[in-house]
């Protein structure tokens, strides 16, 4: 983390878990414990149907509500899709874009991710854009090539003043939900590479200002070591964010 130049962010990703009616109890547990957080921004990305309940549960706290996906279109005949404007109107401030589960199960390409990144910014949401290599790509030794291509395409035609506000999450696919975690040194190496790509696309000031998260089985036991790396500015936490107690322990590791 480097708080002098950029924000620390801890974001939870509930994926397709918990009901809208579960949110109140979770909010109460989190609210009690996370009251004294000063040094990092907190986000919980909930299923779209739970956004109104989450906004209510986290009112008057530092916890912002995020969505997990959005349509690349602003409005129109796209049955089942949800637009940035609709998410914002429901109270979301953030949105995850290009999560590996969207890429794997819903065919999202780097180009789709770029379109969704534009849509989220145009709609006034702060995107958390996910990049990461698969196990096979890692085994082939092409992790950095994959990440470079993902970042470059995601940021295509994103103007500099907007790029600096985008949060990037490095999430090695092989580490998501598996209990496997990149070592702090491995995660740092890729996050530093991501910053270098941003520098090459924009400039050093923007690269220094961009918040880069690590995600992939981050939990209370490994969070402090990962967050101690200079280019890791926070975490995107799946499984461990479903338990308010565990999530708070990760938050506490970032709030030192
Ligand atoms: C995620 O869903 O973004 C994630 C990192 O999941 P987990 O923490 O469960 O690996």
């Amino acid at each position: 983390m480097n708080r002098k130049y950029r924000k620390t962010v801890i974001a939870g990703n509930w994926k397709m878990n918990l009901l809208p009616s579960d949110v109140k109890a979770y909010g109460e547990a989190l609210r009690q414990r996370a009251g004294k957080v000063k040094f990092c921004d907190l986000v919980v990305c909930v299923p779209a149907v739970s956004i109104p309940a989450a906004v209510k549960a986290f009112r008057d706290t530092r916890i912002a509500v995020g969505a997990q996906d959005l349509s690349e279109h602003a409005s129109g005949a796209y049955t089942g899709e949800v637009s940035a404007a609709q998410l914002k109107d429901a109270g979301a401030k953030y949105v995850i874009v290009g999560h590996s589960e969207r890429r794997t199960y819903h065919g999202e390409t780097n180009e789709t991710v770029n379109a969704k990144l534009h849509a989220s910014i145009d709609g006034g949401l702060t995107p958390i854009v996910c990049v990461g290599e698969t196990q096979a790509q890692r085994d082939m030794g092409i992790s950095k090539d994959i990440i470079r291509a993902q970042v470059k395409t995601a940021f295509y035609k994103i103007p500099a003043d907007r790029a600096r506000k985008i949060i990037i999450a490095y999430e090695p696919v092989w580490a998501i939900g598996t209990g496997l975690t990149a070592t702090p040194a491995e995660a740092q190496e890729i996050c530093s590479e991501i910053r270098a790509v941003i520098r090459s696309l924009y400039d050093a000031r923007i690269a220094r200002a961009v918040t880069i998260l690590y995600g992939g089985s981050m939990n209370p036991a490994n969070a402090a070591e990962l967050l101690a790396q200079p280019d890791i500015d926070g975490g995107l936490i799946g499984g461990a964010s479903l338990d308010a107690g565990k999530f708070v322990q990760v938050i506490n590791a970032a709030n030192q």
Side-chain angles (χ1 to χ4, degrees), residues 13 15 96 99 101 130 171 175-179 215-218 236-240:
N13 174 18
K15 313 192 189 204
I96 297 174
H99 191 280
E101 288 151 15
C130 300
E171 298 211 305
I176 297 180
T178 57
S217 299
M218 194 187 255
L236 180 55
I237 295 109

Side-chain angles (χ1 to χ4, degrees), residues 30-114:
L30 202 58
R31 184 189 272 269
Q32 282 172 3
R33 297 177 169 103
K36 297 212 170 56
V37 177
K38 283 195 197 139
F39 302 122
C40 60
D41 289 2
L42 304 178
V43 186
V44 178
C45 297
V46 300
V49 288
S50 293
I51 291 172
V55 169
K56 201 169 162 200
F58 302 149
R59 187 165 289 151
D60 303 326
T61 72
R62 292 174 52 94
I63 306 159
V65 177
Q68 300 174 6
D69 181 37
L70 81 166
S71 171
E72 63 195 87
H73 304 287
S75 65
Y78 301 102
T79 302
E81 294 290 283
V82 182
S83 73
Q86 289 166 334
L87 294 171
K88 190 166 184 226
D89 193 63
K93 294 213 165 9
Y94 293 78
V95 62
I96 297 174
V97 176
H99 191 280
S100 67
E101 288 151 15
R102 300 290 320 170
R103 294 179 190 254
T104 305
Y105 306 130
H106 301 275
E108 291 195 7
T109 62
N110 289 342
E111 288 71 22
T112 321
V113 172
N114 173 249

Side-chain angles (χ1 to χ4, degrees), residues 16 45 48 66 89 99 107 133 146 160 188-189 194 213 216 219 227 238 243-244 247 255:
M16 200 173 70
C45 297
D89 193 63
H99 191 280
E133 81 285 4
I146 296 296
Q188 163 59 26
E189 193 182 343
I194 292 171
L213 314 181
N219 59 47
L227 295 169
D243 176 326
F247 191 45
N255 193 43

